Amino acid sequence: MVFYEGHLYRLVVVPQRAPIPVAWVDVGYTIDDAQAGQFKMLTSLEVTFIVEEGKDRVPIAAASTLGRALRRDLEAALPSAAWEPSGKVEFTLQRDTYLGLSRELGLEGESQVTVLLQRSLDTALQPFDQLRKKLAILFGGGLAVLLAGGLVISARVTKPVRMLAERAHSIEQGDYT
């Protein structure tokens, strides 16, 4: 992986032997937003190729599936993000919490290239929020049916006791019929 004049390239260099090395074959291609988009199609995650250059190690989003504004926010958020040793990271972009997983792709000179797979936590949890609403509606409906059934059953169970109490009260008043 080579970062040259603001562009990220993937280079492969292979010796040609006959039986001793007689030539070298160099193949390379640009890692750009279109390439990141192909990775997004495979993973269903936002993909960003990050380059950290020089001694300051300021992250630069060389290629990404994120829009321009989110890309700038990502470059600003990464230095202060909570990185775990496993490469997991959590950061905030435009008031959305993102979870990410990074893998180092290579170190060439003073440039380090990392791929970051990220997804908005709100977007990831959206199907579960809909499920939570459906479960709340089912729970509320079930509770209403349970309460109505409990009232009907309690009225039927207590009716004979209530009638007995009324008869006992009338006998107490002197009505022996």
Side-chain angles (χ1 to χ4, degrees):
M1 301 296 279
V2 176
F3 189 66
Y4 180 70
E5 293 185 1
H7 298 285
L8 185 61
Y9 299 94
R10 173 76 173 154
L11 299 177
V12 179
V13 180
V14 179
Q16 292 296 308
R17 300 175 192 256
I20 61 170
V22 293
W24 292 86
V25 176
D26 301 337
V27 178
Y29 58 91
T30 305
I31 304 280
D32 56 4
D33 292 349
Q35 185 78 27
Q38 290 178 355
F39 282 111
K40 181 180 181 177
M41 286 176 34
L42 292 172
T43 63
S44 299
L45 300 170
E46 300 293 338
V47 178
T48 304
F49 289 91
I50 300 167
V51 177
E52 295 175 299
E53 275 197 309
K55 297 174 185 171
D56 296 338
R57 292 289 202 211
V58 177
I60 300 168
S64 181
T65 56
L66 297 174
R68 292 283 177 213
L70 284 176
R71 192 181 296 201
R72 283 192 305 271
D73 289 350
L74 177 67
E75 290 172 349
L78 285 181
S80 61
W83 290 88
E84 293 181 13
S86 63
K88 294 178 186 173
V89 63
E90 184 175 329
F91 51 91
T92 303
L93 300 179
Q94 296 181 352
R95 289 183 248 146
D96 281 346
T97 301
Y98 279 75
L99 296 178
L101 179 65
S102 69
R103 291 292 181 251
E104 292 180 10
L105 297 180
L107 181 63
E108 181 64 33
E110 293 195 12
S111 297
Q112 179 175 344
V113 180
T114 305
V115 64
L116 178 66
L117 304 175
Q118 68 266 345
R119 185 155 191 195
S120 168
L121 192 57
D122 296 334
T123 303
L125 293 178
Q126 197 171 27
F128 297 104
D129 290 339
Q130 293 172 355
L131 180 63
R132 186 181 306 132
K133 288 176 186 175
K134 288 178 183 177
L135 287 174
I137 290 170
L138 285 173
F139 176 75
L143 185 61
V145 168
L146 181 69
L147 287 174
L151 289 174
V152 168
I153 290 174
S154 68
R156 285 189 172 174
V157 168
T158 59
K159 185 177 179 181
V161 175
R162 202 177 25 220
M163 288 174 55
L164 180 63
E166 288 173 4
R167 297 286 183 225
H169 183 66
S170 63
I171 290 174
E172 179 183 4
Q173 298 297 323
D175 182 10
Y176 298 110
T177 58

